[in-house]
Amino acid sequence: MLKSKTFLKKTRAGGVMKIVREHYLRDDIGCGASGCAVCDGAHEGPVLELQPLDRASSLCPQPHYLLPDTNVLLHQIDVLEDPAIRNVIVLQTVLQEVRNRSAPVYKRIRDMTNNQEKHFYTFTNEHHRETYVEQLQGENSNDRNDRAIRVAAKWYNEHLKNMSAENRLQVIFITNDRKNKEKAIEEGIPAFTCEEYIKSLTANPELIDRLACLSEEGNEIESGKTIFSEHLPLSKLQQGIKSGTYLQGTFRASRENYLEATVWVHSDDEDNKEILLQGLKNLNRAIHEDIVAVELLPKHQWVAPSSVVLQDEGQNEDDIEKEEERECILKTAVNEKMLKPTGRVVGIIKRNWRPYCGMLSKSDIKESRRHLFTPADKRIPRIRIETRQASTLEGRRIIVAVDGWPRNSRYPNGHFVKNLGEVGDKETETEVLLLEHDVPHQAFSQAVLSFLPKMPWSITEKDMKNREDLRHLCVCSVDPPGCTDIDDALHCRELENGNLEVGVHIADVSHFIRPGNALDQESARRGTTVYLCEKRIDMVPELLSSNLCSLRSNVDRLAFSCIWEMTHNAEILKTRFTKSVINSKASLTYAEAQMRIDSAAMNDNITTSLRGLNKLAKILKKGRIEKGALTLSSPEVRFHMDSETHDPIDLQTKELRETNSMVEEFMLLANISVAKKIHEEFSEHALLRKHPAPPPSNYEILVKAAKSKNLEIKTDTAKALADSLDQADSPIFPYLNTLLRILATRCMMQAVYFCSGMDNDFHHYGLASPIYTHFTSPIRRYADIIVHRLLAVAIGADCTYPELTDKHKLADLCKNLNFRHKMAQYAQRASVAFHTQLFFKSKGIVSEEAYILFVRKNAIVVLIPKYGLEGTVFFEEKDKPNPRLIYDDEIPSLKIEDTVFHVFDKVKVKIMLDSSNLQHQKIRMSLVEPQIPGISVSADTSNMDINEPERKKKKLQK
């Protein structure tokens, strides 16, 4: 029998489309009862028992089957899974509703219908001629479905009367909906609530404990452990913040531990600047970067930041016991000094959701539309989405947006936005890291390009106004190999009076980018050039970055020059600033410049200039270090690419030469000189850069690590730190000093741009300078363009404009620049990480020496000097017995069985690419030496199967 429904639908274009839906009804669908003569042989798979005598219900003593509605299946799944509950009829109507509302519950029901011992039978009531019901006019879909369930229950009771008297059975309708139950009883259907029925099973009192308590609305589970506390309304939050009951701040999730976060409080109160949150319920559905209201917990409930590394492995919505076990792991016995102000999220003031890149974790349920999406950013929780194209999207990077996070859901809900491409593909992964770090990377618009100079371009008389001609000077640039955006050039010559003249010449980008036009606005938005391993995302169009502004050799270029007269001992006698025209005589790499300085055979003007610069730079550096400037270290890597495939074929730490330091010294000197000048002229609206001194607590890890090697690090001042780092040497362990400097770098605060009129503290801690700015890289930093404009006004070389002297607008600009610089840094690190993975994918498994940087509760973080690579060696693995671990935060140390690990200990590790998680492919490290039975692996790389993760993946797909 065929039923059809026709209706008209309006299209997006405004047209009308006729839609015809056909629905087939059959009369050969079996009821599932094994003793039914009418339906004999019509049903396949597990069937209902002929004599279900296992349940003794005081409400219904005779043999019966159960027929639950949707809410009972959704909310009482724990009860239904109990072995005592058998012979249940699952209607197609109910199953479809469950599938739409909860994929994990749907999967669990499917598992039960496939279990022969449970005798759960799926009845296709929507296609049975006698149980199909059409939606009535004015009836909503919920009421229609309720009626369809009652019709099926009534049909069953009538149908089973055909069985012999000794096998006569009843079907009991189980519902928690009061109105639905009343209607069923009126229609002669035996109906009970789930609680009534379970309590009537006197032989199984333990089932009552498994009942979920429903709230009065009947739509949320009160006792379900995944339920979060309700968010307070905004009016109550605002009152609480005003009265001091709650604190407002930015929610920052942890990358290493999904059960931990901090809230940076928006207030001047130094005591509670950072609030620690631990455990799912205290995080209360806040997502990274949300503005939240937190309630401070009583002091006896304060905790210490956890040393455990925990990743969310995507438990089922109901699998919360594991979460609670994991939360217990976080709580550790610590001394009171380690305790931090601890709180819980009571409400959300502003959601800062963005579209997230990641991958689909396809549901195990066939034809399920509900799946979990795993974001690439580990600080973002998994997101539940509905999609019909799961098979197509599997193994691809996609973008998903969050829609909301219900109280009774372990994960937020969202929707699919865009398919980016195949995972692992270089273009796709680059796109992902740019999107994830919010790096503007679209092509420059026509509106922006329209403000570029017309080609061919040459210097005109108008350009020479207020500009000195310095083309006669022996100027040269020194940069990394392959650099095309040359910002700076240098010169050094002896004056007739015996003193030296030193010049730093910087590309005059502000000549080409005029305030307020589309090119200026786009440069300000981008804030910085982003350097990836194989790609550069320019802040300004290429015509400027690699041509007209780039101080290439043997071409005339506009510059902004900072010129000093110095003694041979690098004492500054005079400083002057001028707009200029230069003609660079050579574009050298650091290596070429070093070779010229070192070669006795070379004595030309360029080489003489370089030697003079190098000599002065050494004196300047010595003077800076004596004042307390820090010489820190951070392992930087350089990839050697295959010229055809552009895949990395070698990975080395960057070699730093004297010439690197030479250029750096003069750039620092120019930045300090310009900072003083613009602050003299514009005390209220100079754009400066400061580096705050770290709080003493930041240094704890460094001090403890040094102490474990019998060294003392003093951290009272930058000078004390610099001196103690210089003295922290070990003849038997030469690399120790580098490790200490790397660790000291991790203790530092982030340097930031600020407006002088909005702050009192100008000091740059790392450089030990009372004032500092950025002037020397305007091709790649927008801050430098603003500084150029300020300096040009200060020397009368250009005119001012209103925004330049508006400190509030300048403060907003600084905020964006700080954000863009931080994101660029993260994007660069992500690019290095991705190319490192590509390198080890082709390299295979290697064993290398490493040093411990940090010890955690269940892992050690190591640095491999050869590759400048950092990684974590975990000592607790799934499906393996856990070793005996003793973590001591005071030393710090980690004892594994009978071996103790301290920071800076030398170990040997095995490095390989772990592809078991396509989403987060990572470099996996295992301990080789020292040898610990059951923990260490063999140094032999041939016996490890690099494809093991792939095999695991195939197994899962079966």
Side-chain angles (χ1 to χ4, degrees):
M1 182 181 166
L2 180 67
K3 289 242 176 196
S4 67
K5 188 187 277 185
T6 306
F7 56 94
L8 301 175
K9 186 183 177 184
K10 197 172 181 181
T11 65
R12 278 186 181 177
V16 174
M17 186 165 61
K18 185 179 180 182
I19 294 174
V20 179
R21 284 211 177 129
E22 294 181 338
H23 192 88
Y24 291 89
L25 300 180
R26 296 163 54 178
D27 48 18
D28 60 347
I29 296 168
C31 69
S34 52
C36 179
V38 180
C39 305
D40 190 34
H43 30 248
E44 293 173 12
V47 290
L48 303 160
E49 287 177 294
L50 181 61
Q51 283 294 329
L53 298 171
D54 50 334
R55 287 192 304 263
S57 167
S58 57
L59 289 172
C60 184
Q62 72 183 88
H64 54 270
Y65 300 143
L66 297 179
L67 192 150
D69 72 358
T70 310
N71 280 328
V72 170
L73 279 185
L74 279 169
H75 300 141
Q76 306 295 355
I77 188 75
D78 288 336
V79 175
L80 295 171
E81 280 180 333
D82 194 279
I85 305 295
R86 292 156 57 165
N87 295 293
V88 175
I89 298 161
V90 182
L91 297 180
Q92 181 191 0
T93 309
V94 170
L95 201 56
Q96 282 173 344
E97 278 196 287
V98 170
R99 188 167 72 175
N100 291 335
R101 287 170 63 181
S102 174
V105 174
Y106 177 74
K107 183 182 181 301
R108 289 163 75 177
I109 294 163
R110 274 291 180 215
D111 289 344
M112 287 191 284
T113 54
N114 292 331
N115 182 349
Q116 302 277 355
E117 292 174 9
K118 287 286 286 176
H119 298 282
F120 271 52
Y121 179 69
T122 309
F123 177 60
T124 321
N125 64 308
E126 294 291 352
H127 290 279
H128 194 289
R129 193 198 296 263
E130 293 179 47
T131 57
Y132 171 73
V133 299
E134 285 198 37
Q135 194 165 341
L136 303 174
Q137 204 168 354
E139 185 178 43
N140 65 34
S141 55
N142 268 348
D143 290 344
R144 181 259 167 211
N145 287 349
D146 285 347
R147 187 161 59 85
I149 295 166
R150 293 197 305 275
V151 165
K154 192 168 186 177
W155 175 83
Y156 255 106
N157 278 315
E158 290 297 320
H159 179 77
L160 294 178
K161 284 177 183 174
N162 297 320
M163 292 175 75
S164 57
E166 68 273 11
N167 293 331
R168 191 73 44 89
L169 288 156
Q170 237 187 342
V171 169
I172 294 178
F173 177 40
I174 305 291
T175 178
N176 287 328
D177 184 325
R178 186 169 45 80
K179 284 181 184 171
N180 205 10
K181 182 189 164 192
E182 284 169 5
K183 282 180 185 173
I185 291 167
E186 278 171 27
E187 291 166 19
I189 305 163
F192 303 106
T193 66
C194 191
E195 192 174 343
E196 285 169 347
Y197 181 77
I198 294 302
K199 284 182 176 176
S200 77
L201 302 178
T202 49
N204 302 93
E206 74 285 351
L207 282 176
I208 297 165
D209 293 343
R210 303 195 72 175
L211 275 172
C213 298
L214 299 183
S215 67
E216 284 172 17
E217 296 79 39
N219 59 2
E220 285 189 344
I221 313 165
E222 288 293 323
S223 68
K225 295 191 178 173
T226 46
I227 293 213
F228 298 93
S229 57
E230 199 170 351
H231 287 150
L232 298 178
L234 199 56
S235 56
K236 279 194 178 177
L237 296 177
Q238 285 165 340
Q239 282 171 12
I241 290 162
K242 205 172 179 182
S243 67
T245 313
Y246 306 135
L247 297 165
Q248 178 179 324
T250 305
F251 182 89
R252 302 268 166 86
S254 163
R255 284 178 200 274
E256 291 192 328
N257 189 336
Y258 74 101
L259 293 174
E260 191 166 276
T262 49
V263 170
W264 287 81
V265 178
H266 307 163
S267 80
D268 300 325
D269 181 9
E270 285 303 316
D271 293 340
N272 294 328
K273 199 72 187 152
E274 197 182 331
I275 309 292
L276 183 65
L277 310 176
Q278 264 187 17
L280 272 183
K281 287 182 182 175
N282 289 338
L283 302 180
N284 197 8
R285 295 172 286 154
I287 292 178
H288 185 64
E289 293 294 339
D290 282 349
I291 307 298
V292 298
V294 287
E295 179 182 47
L296 212 55
L297 295 174
K299 274 200 173 180
H300 68 271
Q301 289 182 31
W302 287 11
V303 293
S306 171
S307 306
V308 179
V309 180
L310 277 184
Q311 302 299 339
D312 182 5
E313 284 150 7
Q315 283 82 18
N316 280 343
E317 194 136 329
D318 317 74
D319 193 7
I320 278 300
E321 277 107 20
K322 263 192 185 164
E323 303 286 11
E324 292 192 338
E325 280 171 33
R326 285 177 151 219
E327 285 176 25
C328 290
I329 299 169
L330 302 183
K331 294 170 177 57
T332 179
V334 287
N335 66 35
E336 282 196 21
K337 283 184 193 170
M338 299 294 291
L339 297 178
K340 298 263 171 158
T342 308
R344 68 183 187 94
V345 171
V346 291
I348 309 290
I349 291 159
K350 182 175 178 273
R351 287 289 193 190
N352 274 329
W353 297 338
R354 61 178 174 83
Y356 300 105
C357 297
M359 285 180 72
L360 199 68
S361 305
K362 198 175 166 215
S363 168
D364 294 341
I365 308 149
K366 204 177 175 185
E367 293 176 25
S368 174
R369 287 186 198 168
R370 304 195 70 185
H371 308 272
L372 275 179
F373 161 82
T374 307
D377 187 342
K378 291 183 178 179
R379 295 169 300 188
I380 308 299
R382 291 176 143 210
I383 301 161
R384 195 174 295 292
I385 67 164
E386 266 192 55
T387 175
R388 292 188 176 125
Q389 44 178 330
S391 302
T392 318
L393 299 177
E394 204 177 8
R396 300 186 75 78
R397 293 282 194 187
I398 63 172
I399 298 177
V400 161
V402 177
D403 297 325
W405 196 337
R407 275 181 65 192
N408 59 347
S409 173
R410 167 69 180 82
Y411 298 111
N413 296 327
H415 63 269
F416 168 77
V417 176
K418 188 183 175 186
N419 181 349
L420 292 173
E422 199 173 333
V423 69
D425 173 72
K426 214 181 289 185
E427 287 298 313
T428 304
E429 295 301 332
T430 302
E431 176 79 0
V432 166
L433 72 87
L434 291 171
L435 286 166
E436 273 302 289
H437 296 99
D438 199 7
V439 174
H441 58 286
Q442 302 75 16
F444 288 98
S445 69
Q446 256 340 101
V448 169
L449 298 174
S450 67
F451 286 96
L452 292 173
K454 303 288 176 277
M455 297 300 286
W457 174 86
S458 61
I459 296 169
T460 63
E461 267 187 52
K462 190 183 171 188
D463 295 332
M464 290 303 295
K465 197 183 171 192
N466 298 323
R467 204 175 281 279
E468 268 186 59
D469 191 339
L470 303 178
R471 284 176 281 198
H472 61 284
L473 293 175
C474 187
V475 172
C476 68
S477 63
V478 184
D479 290 282
C483 178
T484 60
D485 52 343
I486 302 168
D487 285 290
D488 53 88
L490 300 152
H491 88 272
C492 176
R493 64 173 181 164
E494 195 160 335
L495 298 171
E496 287 175 5
N497 63 10
N499 290 331
L500 295 171
E501 179 188 84
V502 176
V504 165
H505 311 277
I506 306 300
D508 188 6
V509 182
S510 62
H511 173 84
F512 296 96
I513 299 179
R514 302 311 294 162
N517 68 23
L519 176 56
D520 182 46
Q521 287 169 3
E522 181 60 20
S523 306
R525 186 175 81 90
R526 293 185 178 218
T528 179
T529 292
V530 181
Y531 294 90
L532 305 180
C533 292
E534 272 192 281
K535 196 175 185 177
R536 193 178 78 202
I537 313 295
D538 281 326
M539 180 184 82
V540 298
E542 195 177 8
L543 178 65
L544 296 182
S545 67
S546 296
N547 188 350
L548 303 185
C549 291
S550 185
L551 305 182
R552 303 189 302 190
S553 54
N554 304 313
V555 287
D556 292 351
R557 286 291 176 257
L558 302 179
F560 210 147
S561 301
C562 174
I563 300 167
W564 303 276
E565 186 180 329
M566 291 184 182
T567 66
H568 285 264
N569 290 325
E571 284 174 52
I572 298 168
L573 304 172
K574 282 183 198 166
T575 306
R576 69 187 185 93
F577 307 98
T578 179
K579 288 227 174 186
S580 61
V581 181
I582 63 162
N583 187 301
S584 172
K585 303 300 179 275
S587 300
L588 306 172
T589 65
Y590 291 117
E592 287 166 347
Q594 191 67 53
M595 191 182 71
R596 279 173 175 265
I597 290 167
D598 296 342
S599 169
M602 297 189 82
N603 288 299
D604 57 281
N605 288 344
I606 293 170
T607 307
T608 308
S609 176
L610 286 169
R611 284 183 186 136
L613 289 165
N614 197 39
K615 185 187 163 201
L616 291 169
K618 286 177 181 176
I619 301 167
L620 288 168
K621 187 171 185 176
K622 189 169 176 275
R624 269 194 323 109
I625 288 168
E626 279 169 5
K627 283 182 189 166
L630 297 171
T631 310
L632 300 176
S633 181
S634 115
E636 285 191 71
V637 295
R638 184 176 189 83
F639 293 95
H640 295 274
M641 302 291 185
D642 184 291
S643 56
E644 287 181 19
T645 65
H646 297 285
D647 283 342
I649 47 176
D650 199 9
L651 173 61
Q652 293 170 340
T653 47
K654 285 184 186 172
E655 190 185 338
L656 295 178
R657 296 178 170 85
E658 265 185 14
T659 44
N660 290 74
S661 181
M662 175 189 84
V663 173
E664 185 188 7
E665 282 309 313
F666 287 106
M667 296 308 117
L668 292 174
L669 187 60
N671 286 334
I672 292 167
S673 301
V674 170
K676 286 175 184 170
K677 179 70 178 174
I678 62 172
H679 186 246
E680 274 170 28
E681 293 289 328
F682 306 104
S683 60
E684 285 291 294
H685 42 260
L687 192 153
L688 303 174
R689 187 164 176 84
K690 68 171 180 175
H691 182 219
S697 60
N698 278 31
Y699 285 125
E700 277 179 18
I701 183 76
L702 174 68
V703 172
K704 285 177 183 176
K707 197 177 174 185
S708 71
K709 295 288 177 230
N710 299 316
L711 295 168
E712 187 186 4
I713 297 287
K714 291 179 179 167
T715 60
D716 314 340
T717 61
K719 172 82 175 135
L721 175 63
D723 290 346
S724 49
L725 283 171
D726 286 342
Q727 289 157 21
D729 258 334
S730 168
I732 53 164
F733 187 1
Y735 196 65
L736 177 63
N737 193 264
T738 307
L739 286 168
L740 281 164
R741 290 180 194 276
I742 290 169
L743 209 51
T745 310
R746 307 294 169 90
C747 302
M748 293 298 138
M749 304 291 282
Q750 188 82 36
V752 288
Y753 295 112
F754 69 102
C755 172
S756 59
M758 306 289 276
D759 210 319
N760 300 320
D761 176 23
F762 293 7
H763 190 75
H764 196 293
Y765 180 81
L767 298 172
S769 175
I771 194 166
Y772 191 66
T773 193
H774 272 164
F775 163 77
T776 54
S777 296
I779 295 176
R780 60 187 177 90
R781 290 189 306 231
Y782 188 76
D784 302 52
I785 293 177
I786 296 293
V787 169
H788 276 229
R789 288 173 182 170
L790 288 164
L791 184 62
V793 175
I795 64 166
D798 207 342
C799 52
T800 187
Y801 58 98
E803 284 79 11
L804 195 64
T805 52
D806 183 329
K807 65 181 182 181
H808 296 287
K809 285 193 175 164
L810 209 55
D812 287 341
L813 177 69
C814 288
K815 195 177 174 184
N816 178 57
L817 294 179
N818 289 331
F819 172 73
R820 292 293 179 207
H821 276 264
K822 186 170 70 174
M823 288 297 115
Q825 217 175 9
Y826 290 156
Q828 280 154 238
R829 284 180 203 164
S831 179
V832 168
F834 175 62
H835 281 79
T836 305
Q837 288 170 13
L838 290 180
F839 171 70
F840 281 105
K841 193 174 184 177
S842 58
K843 179 97 175 162
I845 303 162
V846 293
S847 288
E848 290 294 343
E849 283 184 348
Y851 294 97
I852 298 174
L853 276 184
F854 305 100
V855 290
R856 302 277 188 244
K857 216 173 175 185
N858 58 348
I860 53 171
V861 179
V862 299
L863 174 77
I864 296 150
K866 182 177 176 181
Y867 299 123
L869 179 66
E870 205 176 298
T872 307
V873 179
F874 289 97
F875 296 117
E876 288 178 339
E877 284 190 54
K878 258 185 170 179
D879 310 323
K880 279 193 179 179
N882 287 342
R884 191 160 40 87
L885 301 175
I886 301 168
Y887 174 69
D888 185 337
D889 186 61
E890 280 304 305
I891 300 176
S893 69
L894 179 67
K895 188 176 183 182
I896 303 159
E897 299 299 340
D898 297 316
T899 307
V900 182
F901 291 98
H902 297 97
V903 175
F904 303 146
D905 281 359
K906 192 176 184 178
V907 293
K908 193 170 187 181
V909 295
K910 185 174 282 189
I911 315 159
M912 66 177 283
L913 179 67
D914 180 356
S915 310
S916 59
N917 181 341
L918 270 179
Q919 162 81 329
H920 292 121
Q921 290 194 40
K922 57 181 182 236
I923 303 296
R924 193 169 80 196
M925 295 192 186
S926 311
L927 188 70
V928 175
E929 288 172 14
Q931 290 189 344
I932 305 170
I935 300 287
S936 301
V937 295
S938 157
D940 177 24
T941 56
S942 59
N943 61 355
M944 281 185 78
D945 183 2
I946 199 153
N947 296 317
E948 177 201 353
E950 293 299 321
R951 256 208 331 266
K952 207 189 288 178
K953 188 170 165 273
K954 281 175 189 163
K955 209 169 166 185
L956 286 171
Q957 288 170 347
K958 279 180 188 173

